[in-house]
Amino acid sequence: SQQGEEDPQALSIQEGENATMNCSYKTSINNLQWYRQNSGRGLVHLILIRSNEREKHSGRLRVTLDTSKKSSSLLITASRAADTASYFCATDSNYQLIWGAGTKLIIKP
Amino acid sequence: DTAVSQTPKYLVTQMGNDKSIKCEQNLGHDTMYWYKQDSKKFLKIMFSYNNKELIINETVPNRFSPKSPDKAHLNLHINSLELGDSAVYFCASSRMDRTYTEAFFGQGTRLTVV
């Protein structure tokens, strides 16, 4: 079943700007993960945030988690053309990884 | 070294045929998965295998069957292929340590049924 929902479905920004994507989910989770998928390729893990964490950083990525609102956000700072991809969130819940439909991010030069 | 490899990358076949997609991981993970990604980019889990036992079996048609000869391999067999089976199929693996750790994905197999 599709639990996560990413918002927006598509996002187009200028290179150098920040990109923010959101993910909402429905059930309690152990952790939430963000992945990137380049066109025609497999998914690549970006970052994992546990249910007892509120914020996590990795390079230009910042992830927040609000378990009371059942939502997470992924911020990419100082975007680059290479960040053009689809971004998926996945929640670890009840021994399953449940995926959202993804946000397509386009970085314009 | 490829962590999760699946073959073939492209598969074009006629309706009614039987085909297999192979997947191998060299990460020593104990859990492997098959996912289907449709044209709308929804990623849907099909099967999950942990230590050679099926632990999740989503409501996929029984024409699809996973086969795991050992912990490093999880192959996907599809019988009597239908047009609606056209999609990209991804194999993945992860380590199950009370909760799921990050999943590593193969490059995908684009299946086209004509």
Side-chain angles (χ1 to χ4, degrees):
Chain A
S1 59
Q2 207 73 20
Q3 156 156 268
E5 292 184 11
E6 280 93 342
D7 166 51
Q9 288 188 325
L11 179 61
S12 181
I13 61 173
Q14 291 294 139
E15 193 168 16
E17 293 180 340
N18 296 342
T20 300
M21 288 158 272
N22 302 298
C23 170
S24 60
Y25 57 92
K26 297 174 184 173
T27 63
S28 61
I29 63 172
N30 296 309
N31 65 55
L32 185 145
Q33 304 177 35
W34 283 92
Y35 289 77
R36 183 186 72 232
Q37 184 181 31
N38 291 91
S39 180
R41 307 294 294 274
L43 281 77
V44 175
H45 181 265
L46 294 176
I47 197 165
L48 180 154
I49 187 166
R50 300 193 188 283
S51 59
N52 61 355
E53 297 175 314
R54 292 296 165 257
E55 187 170 313
K56 204 161 182 180
H57 297 254
S58 176
R60 294 184 295 113
L61 306 180
R62 183 172 78 96
V63 169
T64 62
L65 179 64
D66 187 335
T67 52
S68 66
K69 295 181 180 178
K70 291 186 168 57
S71 67
S72 172
S73 67
L74 170 67
L75 168 68
I76 304 174
T77 60
S79 63
R80 304 168 182 169
D83 295 329
T84 294
S86 291
Y87 292 82
F88 292 84
C89 69
T91 52
D92 171 12
S93 172
N94 197 27
Y95 302 105
Q96 298 183 56
L97 266 184
I98 302 177
W99 297 82
T103 292
K104 186 166 184 174
L105 175 65
I106 297 172
I107 308 298
K108 295 180 286 188
Chain B
D1 288 341
T2 304
V4 181
S5 60
Q6 56 182 105
T7 55
K9 190 172 180 182
Y10 299 97
L11 181 56
V12 181
T13 187
Q14 291 187 326
M15 273 196 308
N17 283 350
D18 302 337
K19 289 293 179 185
S20 295
I21 307 172
K22 294 185 177 180
C23 179
E24 176 182 5
Q25 55 98 1
N26 62 6
L27 297 165
H29 286 164
D30 50 21
T31 306
M32 294 183 72
Y33 316 83
W34 276 104
Y35 288 87
K36 179 181 179 181
Q37 188 172 40
D38 60 25
S39 58
K40 293 185 178 179
K41 304 301 182 186
F42 278 107
L43 201 64
K44 178 181 176 181
I45 190 167
M46 300 177 71
F47 301 103
S48 172
Y49 254 68
N50 182 303
N51 290 327
K52 298 183 69 173
E53 290 186 42
L54 184 67
I55 59 173
I56 301 173
N57 187 346
E58 291 292 313
T59 54
V60 299
N62 58 14
R63 298 180 295 104
F64 292 80
S65 57
K67 296 276 194 300
S68 181
D70 55 56
K71 204 168 118 174
H73 295 83
L74 184 65
N75 303 324
L76 182 64
H77 297 271
I78 315 170
N79 296 326
S80 303
L81 278 155
E82 301 177 356
L83 292 175
D85 297 333
S86 295
V88 182
Y89 293 84
F90 288 98
C91 175
S93 72
S94 71
R95 179 173 54 84
M96 179 63 176
D97 181 18
R98 289 182 296 171
T99 64
Y100 281 100
T101 57
E102 65 175 283
F104 288 78
F105 282 75
Q107 291 300 295
T109 296
R110 183 173 294 277
L111 171 66
T112 304
V113 182
V114 297

